[in-house]
Amino acid sequence: IYFIIFNFRMQILISVIVLLLLSPSASYQLNIKKSFINHKKYILSKLQNNEISNEWDNYFSKSYETKYQLIAAPGTEKIAQSIVSLYPNRFLYHPTKWNKFPDGTDNIEIGGFQPINRISGENIMFLASFHNNDVTLSQFSVMVTLLQSFIQSLTVVLPFYPVGTMERVIKEGQVATANTYAQMFSSLPTCGKPTRLIIYDLHTLQNRFYLHGNTIPSLQSSIPCLIETIKSTNINCIAFPDDGAAKRFSAMFKGLDYEIVTCGKTRDGDKRVVIIQDGDAKGKNILIVDDLVQTGGTLYECGLALQSAGANSVSCFVAHGVFPKESWRRFLKSGDRGCFEKFYLTNSIPTITDTLPTDDVFVVLDLQDRIVHDLDRYSY
């Protein structure tokens, strides 16, 4: 019994000694408390000055400033050269020879492989342009070769996705070419990570879900380029030719003090005419905003409707000027659809914008800065 009592007392004594050894002194506890309070004040002051947010912004901007080896498709060489001249520390451009054999098949030599291989093991940006079927297939051949050359990553910048309007069919036997292109992109070889496909103002957003597996779309917008451009103009109202464009783009102008007008088509007897469905155009300097223009019939009718409603001036913007068969000529000041003060568009289809006159109604917005900006971000 005495032994048990003695052993119990010894255990209590040892426990007390251990607690005394491990417990910090009162002065030490006070210092810890002061340090915690000071750190809390420091964090609160940084939050009030928005310094923490700025630190994270700086962290992400530095983290994703990747260096790229740049390859350009036919028609995009000027854009590639412009990017390199603006950001020489991030991009190295390698000209590619897009030749043909006598029988019409491709004879392509990708730049950057000779005399020293500067492609393998590197991050590659491929500036693409699918302005016709022939060059499209040639560019897929180049993408396959790049992905099989042990590269670190491939980013394909395709500003205009030409089959974005053909994502569905209305009768059996029609070909949804958007699905065809998506299958081709999704079947590209892998370099260990998916190919990133950057597209601007995709006509129908559901196209993104057609791509899967080895290629993932990264959807961006050229609207920030437009907003920056019109800051120095007298434009005070944004109009949309239909409800779909309004739903898609109106949020990007929120808080910028532009009035919003929405147009739409309605039936008038046997004809469908454009009318103003929401908003007041009277006395406004209006800019119509849409994603693309083909022949521009709806855009023109929208412009006339706004003028008839008393607009002071009407201009328009489209991200992509497709203009088949040089239909852009109709929008010149001397053309039969020359109702716009200014016609803004991006150089997403350089084979078209390079042919536009510079002394008439057209104003081409360069995407170079926007492309580099969006490389470091994954959505708009």
Side-chain angles (χ1 to χ4, degrees), residues 4 44 48 100 119 129 170 186 189 194 228 236 298 347 372 375:
I4 293 172
L44 289 173
Q48 291 172 353
K100 296 284 187 182
I119 300 299
S129 177
I170 57 175
S186 301
E228 190 63 31
N236 55 14
T298 300
N347 59 342
V372 176
L375 280 173

Side-chain angles (χ1 to χ4, degrees), residues 76-354:
T76 67
E77 292 91 348
K78 289 182 180 178
I79 298 176
Q81 291 167 359
S82 178
I83 289 175
V84 172
S85 66
L86 291 170
Y87 305 92
N89 295 327
R90 288 195 66 184
F91 300 92
L92 184 60
Y93 173 51
H94 305 283
T96 294
K97 297 177 182 178
W98 301 86
N99 298 322
K100 296 284 187 182
F101 287 111
D103 61 358
T105 55
D106 285 327
N107 179 18
I108 304 169
E109 185 177 338
I110 305 172
F113 284 94
Q114 299 292 335
I116 300 173
N117 188 340
R118 299 188 183 278
I119 300 299
S120 299
E122 296 293 324
N123 296 294
I124 310 300
M125 186 177 95
F126 180 54
L127 195 56
S129 177
F130 289 0
H131 50 273
N132 64 53
N133 286 343
D134 185 23
V135 299
T136 297
L137 186 58
S138 299
Q139 290 169 64
F140 270 106
S141 297
V142 168
M143 284 184 267
V144 169
T145 301
L146 289 170
L147 287 164
Q148 292 178 335
S149 299
F150 303 103
I151 60 174
Q152 180 70 23
S153 70
L154 176 63
T155 299
V156 178
V157 179
L158 180 62
F160 173 55
Y161 195 65
V163 294
T165 57
M166 198 57 194
E167 85 291 357
R168 55 187 171 179
V169 299
I170 57 175
K171 59 183 179 180
E172 199 67 30
Q174 280 187 311
V175 177
T177 49
N179 174 57
T180 306
Y181 277 46
Q183 293 281 354
M184 293 169 70
F185 269 117
S186 301
S187 300
L188 286 172
T190 177
C191 62
K193 61 181 69 173
T195 294
R196 182 186 178 192
L197 176 62
I198 297 179
I199 304 172
Y200 283 85
D201 298 302
L202 183 61
H203 181 67
T204 48
L205 298 180
Q206 61 264 34
N207 270 287
R208 77 174 84 177
F209 303 116
Y210 287 173
L211 289 114
H212 56 83
N214 292 345
T215 301
I216 305 298
S218 178
L219 304 187
Q220 307 294 342
S221 178
S222 60
I223 296 297
C225 298
L226 172 67
I227 291 173
E228 190 63 31
T229 299
I230 64 175
K231 282 180 180 179
S232 58
T233 69
N234 62 354
I235 292 169
N236 55 14
C237 179
I238 302 298
F240 301 105
D242 53 51
D243 189 55
K247 289 179 179 177
R248 179 171 181 179
F249 294 118
S250 60
M252 299 185 187
F253 296 93
K254 189 176 181 180
L256 299 179
D257 296 326
Y258 292 109
E259 293 192 42
I260 302 296
V261 172
T262 303
C263 299
K265 285 188 175 182
T266 186
R267 187 167 294 281
D268 181 14
D270 294 332
K271 299 187 300 182
R272 289 178 65 84
V273 296
V274 175
I275 63 169
I276 296 175
Q277 295 180 333
D278 187 39
D280 182 14
K282 188 175 181 179
K284 306 294 194 315
N285 298 304
I286 301 178
L287 178 72
I288 305 171
V289 174
D290 206 358
D291 63 325
L292 63 84
V293 60
Q294 296 268 359
T295 57
T298 300
L299 207 60
Y300 171 65
E301 291 178 24
C302 185
L304 293 184
L306 293 168
Q307 289 176 341
S308 298
N312 185 48
S313 68
V314 180
S315 298
C316 70
F317 165 81
V318 294
H320 313 295
V322 182
F323 291 128
K325 299 180 180 179
E326 295 189 337
S327 56
W328 55 265
R329 294 185 180 277
R330 303 184 68 180
F331 291 94
L332 296 174
K333 293 176 182 178
S334 59
D336 63 321
R337 291 180 174 175
C339 66
F340 297 116
E341 185 174 292
K342 294 289 183 183
F343 198 124
Y344 298 92
L345 71 165
T346 75
N347 59 342
S348 64
I349 313 176
T351 53
I352 297 296
T353 52
D354 286 349

